[in-house]
Amino acid sequence: MNYLHLLQNRFACKEFNKEKVSTAKIHEILQAGVLSPSSLGLEPWTFYILQSPEKIEKLKQFCNSKKQFETCAFAVILASKNNFEPQGQTVQKALKRREDFDKVYELYSPYLKRLESKNAHEYGALQCYIAATNMVNCAHTLGVDSCIIGGYDEESINKEFLPKDEFCALVLTFGYKASGQPKHKKMRFSFNEKVKFI
């Protein structure tokens, strides 16, 4: 399966068949997230895996009670750190892995100092979106279906599931599709309408 074929055939699964996903496949999907690129190499994410019906039901309440949570095998909360101060733990821990720490720190610090709370939130969320894309696409190569959940009560998820230095950037559900899916043909605007060479 080439990558474009994957994109042509992956869809947002609205109903799963409740079948369990093997531990090996779950780990492979999560590894795709771990290996994802991130701006400045900060890897600000943590992936929280929910498998118990009780925790998934609680998460469902904060996600507009979407049906996917009733049948998925597991759900993932993609959380980001919420502080990117140059002297903060997130930045220091990531950059100190580099041999050229002093040079890189000097280069990145002015940019990171400009990340006020609102921008830091957006910045962290964007990094998690990269990881989410890799996770759902990796899942598809393994025959596992998924749905990206964008509508949720962030404040409630943060309070219920996450430490204070993190926020929910995105929620994913995984499992095997119920019969009869996808129900709709994939719709995309044409290549020429969306791609402009300038």
Side-chain angles (χ1 to χ4, degrees):
M1 175 190 312
N2 68 39
Y3 198 70
L4 288 182
H5 183 266
L6 181 157
L7 295 176
Q8 287 162 353
N9 287 277
R10 191 211 156 259
F11 68 99
C13 187
K14 305 300 185 184
E15 184 181 2
F16 302 96
N17 67 6
K18 297 187 179 181
E19 183 182 342
K20 298 282 187 187
V21 175
S22 72
T23 300
K25 286 187 176 182
I26 293 173
H27 281 225
E28 193 165 342
I29 292 165
L30 296 170
Q31 187 69 1
V34 169
L35 291 173
S36 296
S38 63
S39 174
L40 311 184
L42 296 185
E43 301 171 57
W45 48 62
T46 307
F47 310 131
Y48 293 92
I49 319 311
L50 289 75
Q51 293 179 286
S52 75
E54 296 77 19
K55 288 189 177 178
I56 291 174
E57 174 60 29
K58 176 66 77 172
L59 181 59
K60 173 189 167 187
Q61 295 172 27
F62 305 139
C63 297
N64 298 318
S65 296
K66 291 184 183 285
K67 282 187 67 176
Q68 292 91 324
F69 293 94
E70 297 172 15
T71 54
C72 70
F74 68 101
V76 180
I77 298 171
L78 288 87
S80 173
K81 297 295 185 185
N82 55 29
N83 185 320
F84 297 100
E85 286 291 321
Q87 293 291 334
Q89 184 180 7
T90 300
V91 172
Q92 291 289 314
K93 185 176 180 181
L95 296 187
K96 282 190 174 176
R97 299 175 296 175
R98 300 183 58 148
E99 293 178 10
D100 57 348
F101 167 76
D102 292 332
K103 181 181 177 182
V104 171
Y105 182 73
E106 184 179 346
L107 181 68
Y108 292 169
S109 289
Y111 170 73
L112 292 166
K113 285 177 182 175
R114 292 194 297 271
L115 283 178
E116 298 174 2
S117 59
K118 179 183 176 184
N119 293 336
H121 189 282
E122 182 180 279
Y123 172 83
L126 289 173
Q127 308 316 304
C128 287
Y129 298 167
I130 296 169
T133 299
N134 284 332
M135 290 165 74
V136 299
N137 287 340
C138 176
H140 188 73
T141 69
L142 300 172
V144 178
D145 299 290
S146 61
C147 189
I148 300 170
I149 309 291
Y152 53 81
D153 178 348
E154 181 190 315
E155 188 175 331
S156 295
I157 292 176
N158 294 348
K159 185 176 179 181
E160 180 71 26
F161 294 106
L162 305 180
K164 290 183 178 179
D165 66 337
E166 294 181 343
F167 68 90
C168 175
L170 207 57
V171 176
L172 308 176
T173 53
F174 293 92
Y176 297 103
K177 67 181 178 183
S179 61
Q181 290 199 76
K183 293 182 179 178
H184 305 287
K185 186 178 178 180
K186 185 183 282 281
M187 292 185 297
R188 293 293 185 270
F189 290 105
S190 71
F191 181 89
N192 289 335
E193 191 169 356
K194 287 298 175 183
V195 178
K196 306 297 178 187
F197 293 91
I198 58 174

